[in-house]
Amino acid sequence: MLSAGQRAADPAAVAERPRLGREFGRFWTATACSGIGDGMSLAAAPLMASTLTDDPRLIAGVTMALTLPYVVFGIPAGVLVDRFDRRRAMAVIDVVRFGAMAGFAVTLLLDRAHLGVLYLCLFVIGTGETYYRNASQALVPALVTRDGLMHANGRLVATQSATTQFVGPLAGAGLFALAPVLPFGVDAVTFLVSAVLLTRLRVAGRPRPVAAPPGGSGVTRRLLADMTTGARWLWRHHLLRNLALMAGALNFVAAGAMAVLVVYAHRSLGLSDLGYGMLLAAEAVGAVLAAPVAPALVRRVGRDHALVAVAGAHVVASLLLWLVPSWPVAVVAFFVAACGSVTWDVVVVALRQTLIPDGLQGRVNSVYRLVAWGAIPLGAAAAGVVSHRYGPPAVYGFGAALMLLIMLRMLVGARRRWITRALETEVTG
């Protein structure tokens, strides 16, 4: 049996279905509403770009405009998360994003749409997202009790997957076929609805204000000191530092798999564009179904071994895609991989929310994300080289080998009970 101290620190060792409360319900509704709008724009933006240019490099610029802010503003956004009231700042960001998206919709109505305006709109949306996503994770512990963290994160992950990868894209493509302005206009409205819901949240407590570092009279000096504070804290925390590196390796493999998926679907599986969409849908369905199951898996095998199972799921998925190139097997593989990814998020996000002090949540999470997400473009680039030289299936073969190494590293950590010991230290310390 677990001791009282272990139960207090262990997000997985509590009641199976803790009550998440009305405030979390409002937060979940805001997340779902905004996610549907985001999914619509993710589908409609490339379609819109293709009507403005036939240059594939310029069409790819849509993704660049949306994701570049993560690299440029990720760490500064983490500092700001710890400086301001998170709920109010998220509401303000949603209002700004409403203005940007509504402005682009107006240009469509006036027949004044321009590719540069689309880039600017998406850059604003992505810049807001760097703060919003960091702050939303830091806000969850103020909305639910500690024993509800894993369930709350599981529900949020499932909602984000269902809305941004499944419901939103389908609705966005359908509305774009009716009238290009519709998906952008509806997305603008979802930002506004989300802002209203956030203003009605009642949050239990606020982050401690960030103290100015000694001798740091200048704004720039204080900002740099705050950014290095998060990096130093993460580097000194053995568990979270290792998990950040493991997350980077997982994202490296996952990004490579997605980067060549279109080529793999067309050339190796003989699928049409609709078949490619089927593979994406399988991934989204796997994420949605895995979210409520992940906490039960963690209770049964423990947090340490749950992450070993995550790596094992990715090994199996990569091997299937490499050795058995057929579309039914590919559907199963992406379903399994999505289940593993969701389980990782449910466990690790709850750990970060538990182990990182509230006043450092934004800064440490921003550095963690830089390590984990910085591997994404590297994985995509490496997959392109491997696919060009050896063919798309080889990407999944290399991915299986790397994931096997990750699984062995996770197994060593599980045998040493690295997660359990870190949580025990949090309670006794």
Side-chain angles (χ1 to χ4, degrees):
M1 293 181 63
L2 293 172
S3 67
Q6 286 174 301
R7 290 180 65 84
D10 188 350
V14 291
E16 292 189 7
R17 293 184 180 276
R19 292 177 60 86
L20 299 180
R22 179 180 299 178
E23 300 308 314
F24 177 80
R26 289 176 178 167
F27 182 68
W28 176 87
T29 303
T31 300
C33 183
S34 183
I36 291 175
D38 289 344
M40 292 170 64
S41 291
L42 287 175
L47 294 173
M48 186 70 242
S50 67
T51 67
L52 301 173
T53 179
D54 57 0
D55 190 329
R57 295 169 299 180
L58 296 178
I59 296 174
V62 167
T63 302
M64 179 65 71
L66 188 62
T67 58
L68 183 61
Y70 286 97
V71 179
V72 178
F73 301 121
I75 292 182
V79 174
L80 298 179
V81 166
D82 293 332
R83 285 178 178 263
F84 298 109
D85 183 295
R86 292 160 184 163
R87 175 186 60 85
R88 292 182 179 178
M90 290 167 66
V92 170
I93 287 172
D94 269 342
V95 172
V96 172
R97 295 196 289 183
F98 159 75
M101 192 60 71
F104 181 72
V106 170
T107 65
L108 291 176
L109 287 174
L110 299 177
D111 198 23
R112 298 288 185 181
H114 188 276
L115 194 60
V117 178
L118 178 60
Y119 286 166
L120 179 61
C121 173
L122 295 176
F123 187 83
V124 172
I125 299 299
T127 300
E129 188 71 6
T130 60
Y131 181 97
Y132 191 96
R133 188 172 288 197
N134 194 328
S136 66
Q137 287 189 358
L139 189 62
V140 171
L143 299 174
V144 301
T145 58
R146 179 171 290 189
D147 65 329
L149 282 177
M150 289 187 61
H151 292 271
N153 289 318
R155 186 172 297 181
L156 289 173
V157 169
T159 300
Q160 290 167 353
S161 298
T163 55
T164 60
Q165 299 177 21
F166 190 65
V167 178
L170 289 177
L175 289 176
F176 188 89
L178 294 175
V181 70
L182 287 178
F184 300 103
V186 174
D187 190 15
V189 173
T190 63
F191 283 130
L192 191 59
V193 172
S194 176
V196 171
L197 290 171
L198 287 170
T199 59
R200 298 182 62 188
L201 278 181
R202 287 182 289 182
V203 180
R206 297 182 179 182
R208 294 184 298 274
V210 177
S217 57
V219 174
T220 301
R221 184 178 298 179
R222 290 200 300 272
L223 181 62
L224 291 174
D226 285 342
M227 289 191 293
T228 57
T229 296
R232 287 198 303 270
W233 194 97
L234 181 63
W235 178 255
R236 293 170 181 170
H237 199 286
H238 178 265
L239 173 63
L240 293 184
R241 182 183 73 239
N242 276 277
L243 289 179
L245 294 173
M246 293 299 100
L250 286 167
N251 285 336
F252 182 92
V253 174
M258 296 305 297
V260 300
L261 180 57
V262 172
V263 180
Y264 178 79
H266 289 166
R267 296 182 184 177
S268 300
L269 305 182
L271 295 176
S272 64
D273 290 342
L274 182 60
Y276 167 71
M278 179 184 63
L279 295 181
L280 296 180
E283 186 179 33
V285 170
V288 172
L289 295 181
V293 176
L297 170 67
V298 176
R299 281 191 300 272
R300 178 172 293 274
V301 304
R303 298 163 307 282
D304 303 281
H305 288 92
L307 296 188
V308 177
V310 168
H314 282 277
V315 171
V316 171
S318 296
L319 285 175
L320 288 175
L321 292 168
W322 177 37
L323 298 175
V324 192
S326 67
W327 73 262
V329 173
V331 168
V332 173
F334 278 99
F335 180 90
V336 170
C339 291
S341 297
V342 168
T343 303
W344 174 279
D345 286 341
V346 168
V347 173
V348 175
V349 171
L351 282 173
R352 295 193 339 241
Q353 291 166 339
T354 302
L355 297 174
I356 302 172
D358 183 70
L360 288 172
Q361 281 278 337
R363 285 168 286 175
V364 177
N365 276 323
S366 66
V367 178
Y368 182 100
R369 288 172 184 271
L370 184 63
V371 175
W373 293 358
I376 292 176
L378 298 178
V385 174
V386 172
S387 177
H388 177 74
R389 180 167 297 184
Y390 303 107
V395 173
Y396 302 102
F398 281 105
L402 181 56
M403 289 309 309
L404 181 60
L405 294 177
I406 296 171
M407 186 181 72
L408 294 175
R409 176 66 183 91
M410 292 290 186
L411 187 59
V412 172
R415 291 176 63 87
R416 296 175 179 175
R417 300 173 65 245
W418 59 344
I419 297 177
T420 303
R421 289 184 177 181
L423 289 172
E424 291 173 349
T425 302
E426 173 72 10
V427 172
T428 59

